[in-house]
Amino acid sequence: MLTHVLYVKETGTKNFAIVDAAMNDLLRPSLYQAHHDILPVRQVPNAPDTVFDVVGPVCESGDFLAQGRTMPEVKAGDLLAVMSAGAYGFTMASNYNSRPRVSEILVKGGEHFVIRDRETFDDLVRGERIPGFLEAKA
């Protein structure tokens, strides 16, 4: 799974890498404390290691991909690869907090293929109906 670093928050006791992926995209770390390696897509030679909590934007205590993870220092805009997320991770994905599920990309050699489009808000509400008695009267 690929995710962008939105920003880095440094406190006196912790460093947070806030990313655009969330617990709804990959629930395993929050649910089972599963470990997924997280690697910067672009390697920076001699980048210092830093301890980060890699967290999502949902603002829930369980919205994390890693806690206390030593990894190369990252900054806003960096692209991270969350390893071994795969199909099992996708089957557990949800639309929690009205977040559309991510697209799926198949990579073969130097080629890539979209095999599932990213959901849209319209996809999320497609089957919903509002009974007439609930509709606003003009």
Side-chain angles (χ1 to χ4, degrees):
M1 180 174 73
L2 297 177
T3 185
H4 277 105
V5 177
L6 300 173
Y7 58 98
V8 172
K9 178 180 176 180
E10 298 172 354
T11 70
T13 57
K14 276 192 174 192
N15 298 310
F16 296 91
I18 296 91
V19 298
D20 62 357
M23 61 190 268
N24 71 293
D25 301 312
L26 184 62
L27 186 58
R28 297 182 74 243
S30 181
L31 189 62
Y32 320 129
Q33 294 73 51
H35 178 97
H36 292 268
D37 287 337
I38 300 176
L39 306 170
V41 170
R42 288 202 174 102
Q43 302 290 318
V44 176
N46 303 316
D49 282 344
T50 304
V51 177
F52 284 103
D53 282 7
V54 180
V55 301
V58 173
C59 294
E60 294 272 355
S61 60
D63 188 20
F64 62 87
L65 302 177
Q67 293 179 311
R69 181 69 57 86
T70 300
M71 54 190 280
E73 189 173 69
V74 298
K75 63 184 183 327
D78 286 352
L79 187 62
L80 302 179
V82 182
M83 309 306 287
S84 303
Y88 182 56
F90 188 85
T91 63
M92 296 176 71
S94 74
N95 299 119
Y96 179 72
N97 211 26
S98 297
R99 289 177 48 89
R101 283 180 286 218
V102 299
S103 63
E104 288 185 281
I105 310 297
L106 172 69
V107 178
K108 181 181 181 195
E111 295 182 280
H112 67 278
F113 308 89
V114 176
I115 58 173
R116 181 188 298 262
D117 290 330
R118 179 175 181 81
E119 290 176 327
T120 65
F121 180 74
D122 287 341
D123 293 329
L124 299 183
V125 298
R126 179 178 44 243
E128 296 180 10
R129 304 285 181 268
I130 299 174
F133 70 91
L134 291 175
E135 291 182 8
K137 306 234 190 252

